[in-house]
Amino acid sequence: MSQAILTERAQVHVTGPEAQHFLHNLVTVDIESLPGDVWMASALLTAQGKIMFGFLVAREGDGFVLEVPAQDAADFCKRLKFYRLRAKVEISEPMPLSVGSTWSNHASDPVAMKDGRFANIDVWRSARSEFAHGDTAAWDLLRIQHGIAEPYVDYAYNDVFPHDVNLDQIDGVSFKKGCYVGQEVVSRMQHRGTARRRLMVAIGDGPITSGAEIKAGGKVAGSIGSVSGLSGLALVRLDRIKDALDRGESVVAGDVAIALQFPVGVSYGWPEATEPEG
């Protein structure tokens, strides 16, 4: 079994008789259908449908616990309270913590909850402190292979739609529930299939660098986020990558040639036709 220590995290607790209704009408994931023992990805969007905050959410008793990067915690709480109005909801002050993550192909952890973002592998997450050591590079590689993005290192807030960073692929967005902030834009992207940017796994001919610009046939097509060894999580314009590959042109990250693969378990593929520039 592999394990990693994920530092600089924070948890916010949302409780009260209207906690479920409050969150369900605010964030992207289907809170009413949230399982009782799983962490699920979710986001709070701008009115334009872009991610303002990305987080994990799980049930906790009669309420909910939300996990965010520690640097987001104060602003995240402030934003939740902004939307609370007169709802019968209590929003706790954030609690900084480190999180232990364990994973293997056939494992369970009775004192942790499953990380619902991953396909084809069991990943467990807990706030336990007994993990003295952890393999951060292995954790990053696991995320990269499954197309699991983290704020800051893989994308910038207010710059990406949920589809861009695969929230639609990991049940982090509901397309069936009623209105939530930014829902109209996200639903239109889903039904029209207009997502042009997607996550891919980049494999370098040599070491690649986080933040490196990706060029396809000399044209900017995306950038590298998380890196582990020769692998990186790439946020790219699929149409530009495909056009370059169809013409036999090179794809590079900085000055390193890369091959691109689709992450484990995703349903999207190459676009059938070139989309307009823009």
Side-chain angles (χ1 to χ4, degrees), residues 3 5 27 42 103 132 158 175 263 274:
Q3 64 184 40
I5 304 297
V27 304
S42 188
W103 64 96
N158 303 306
F175 299 105
T274 301

Side-chain angles (χ1 to χ4, degrees), residues 125-141:
R125 199 176 185 94
S126 74
R128 296 177 304 172
S129 60
E130 68 262 30
F131 293 165
H133 304 284
D135 191 341
T136 303
W139 168 251
D140 286 337
L141 181 59

